[in-house]
Amino acid sequence: MRFDYTSIGFYTFDCLSRPVTSIPPGGGTFFVDEFTLAVSGAAGSAAIVAAKHGLKVQAVGGVGPDDMGDWVLAKLRHFGVDVANMELCEGFTTSSSIVTTRPDGARPALHKRGATAGFYVTDDRMDTVLDTNILHVGGVGLMDRMDKGRTAEVMQAAKARGCTTTLDVFASTPDDMPLIAPLLPHTDYFMPSEEEAMALSGLTDFEDIAKFLLDQGTGAVILTLGEKGAMYRDSTDRKIDIPAYNISVICTCGCGDCFNAGFATGLHLGRPLEDCVAFGQASSAQNAMGLGSQAVVSSLEDTLKFMENTPLKR
């Protein structure tokens, strides 16, 4: 395979600042301590973290013909991510967010969907898109053209070629479940956050949620639970629970997306599933220690050192 990891879906240009406790009234100005730019999104953050961990990565998504899109592509290239299948979507702006990070790390955002809604994997691009060991789809619910059946076709073709498939979403209500259900039979690892999983299922008990999602056909469910850690459940009744790392949180923007890439890193290295989940937790935790997606993640070596030296919450 040409690529170790292909990340399809939601790529966004993020502008972040902290700490923000409220928006200035009228035309006022509040001063902040930090300000940064980042490539983020359920596909974007995952692509960059995987590349930082040494995987050969391909980005598949869309940007607009604007300065934000130019910056996103340049940043992906900077980290060694292949952008040949990043589509320039005429008539769309680049998906972009303004993230107002709170003192506790929460990150209310203003978002414009943009080119994530406009890109499409055409038949002539399918061979290169699927020339990968791991295929990750991140951002279902935002990909208007792809969400109308094309994502399911891509994932089905990936499984037929022997790819390992991972899936993340952008979901907020049970109405999004019809977009997810056709994908789950072609998904090896489904990795929603607890909020997303509860919204999709309409349930609140995590074991019930995992069973509900497994019954839809996915091979495994990994729920990211924030400060409570992560739980893994699969179709063979295997259960893994990993606590979160004990860190000081700066910003939680992109934590779940970085988890996805960390988990994929473990798969790429052939590690046991417990280690794969721990890689995900370590990638997410490092992300939370700085402002902007992937801020503190730097290399596989440093992630391994972090895992060795950072205590877990008990």
Side-chain angles (χ1 to χ4, degrees):
M1 294 292 186
R2 182 180 175 194
F3 295 101
D4 301 315
Y5 189 71
T6 291
S7 191
I8 301 178
F10 180 30
Y11 287 80
T12 181
F13 171 92
D14 273 8
C15 172
L16 308 98
S17 61
R18 69 173 292 273
V20 179
T21 55
S22 62
I23 302 300
T29 298
F30 290 163
F31 292 94
V32 296
D33 296 336
E34 292 185 70
F35 197 100
T36 194
L37 303 177
V39 176
S40 193
S45 294
I48 292 176
V49 169
K52 286 184 175 183
H53 281 164
L55 280 67
K56 190 168 185 181
V57 179
Q58 172 180 213
V60 181
V63 294
D66 49 35
D67 290 344
M68 290 87 76
D70 290 345
W71 190 87
V72 167
L73 295 178
K75 202 69 172 175
L76 290 168
R77 291 190 189 100
H78 171 76
F79 291 114
V81 177
D82 189 292
V83 297
N85 278 310
M86 286 294 290
E87 181 180 347
L88 186 65
C89 298
E90 297 293 339
F92 290 86
T93 59
T94 300
S95 301
S96 300
S97 298
I98 297 174
V99 182
T100 58
T101 303
R102 300 316 197 214
D104 65 355
R107 75 286 188 202
L110 304 174
H111 179 69
K112 182 173 183 180
R113 184 173 303 190
T116 298
F119 86 95
Y120 188 84
V121 176
T122 53
D123 287 345
D124 62 305
R125 295 165 59 203
M126 190 73 86
D127 283 341
T128 56
V129 167
L130 297 183
D131 192 7
T132 189
N133 287 314
I134 301 171
L135 181 85
H136 175 64
V137 175
V140 177
L142 290 177
M143 305 182 294
D144 288 4
R145 295 187 68 198
M146 292 292 292
D147 284 343
K148 295 174 181 176
R150 188 56 168 174
T151 303
E153 293 173 351
V154 171
M155 294 189 74
Q156 183 177 16
K159 289 303 301 171
R161 297 187 187 208
C163 303
T164 298
T165 55
T166 64
L167 177 67
D168 197 2
V169 298
F170 188 94
S172 57
T173 75
D175 293 339
D176 293 305
M177 192 62 201
L179 299 177
I180 307 300
L183 309 180
L184 293 179
H186 314 301
T187 300
D188 291 310
Y189 303 99
F190 181 39
M191 301 186 283
S193 69
E194 58 182 308
E195 295 90 355
E196 290 163 343
M198 288 189 287
L200 288 172
S201 66
L203 302 170
T204 56
D205 180 84
F206 294 150
E207 297 293 346
D208 291 343
I209 290 170
K211 183 179 185 307
F212 170 81
L213 295 171
L214 288 168
D215 286 346
Q216 308 301 311
T218 186
V221 175
I222 307 169
L223 299 183
T224 54
L225 308 175
E227 64 180 13
K228 297 185 291 293
M231 62 176 278
Y232 171 100
R233 303 290 185 268
D234 69 22
S235 55
T236 69
D237 293 328
R238 187 168 187 178
K239 298 182 178 182
I240 301 170
D241 295 285
I242 303 288
Y245 285 94
N246 192 5
I247 60 167
S248 296
V249 174
I250 297 297
C251 180
T252 59
C253 185
C255 281
D257 311 326
C258 296
F259 178 98
N260 297 337
F263 182 83
T265 300
L267 294 177
H268 170 71
L269 296 173
R271 294 296 188 94
L273 284 170
E274 290 87 351
D275 289 356
C276 294
V277 178
F279 266 109
Q281 285 290 86
S283 301
S284 176
Q286 289 176 94
N287 176 80
M289 292 166 62
L291 183 64
S293 296
Q294 330 101 37
V296 178
V297 180
S298 58
S299 68
L300 177 59
E301 180 182 7
D302 284 343
T303 294
L304 289 169
K305 288 180 181 177
F306 175 88
M307 295 169 70
E308 181 179 343
N309 297 325
T310 308
L312 296 169
K313 287 189 174 182
R314 298 298 183 185

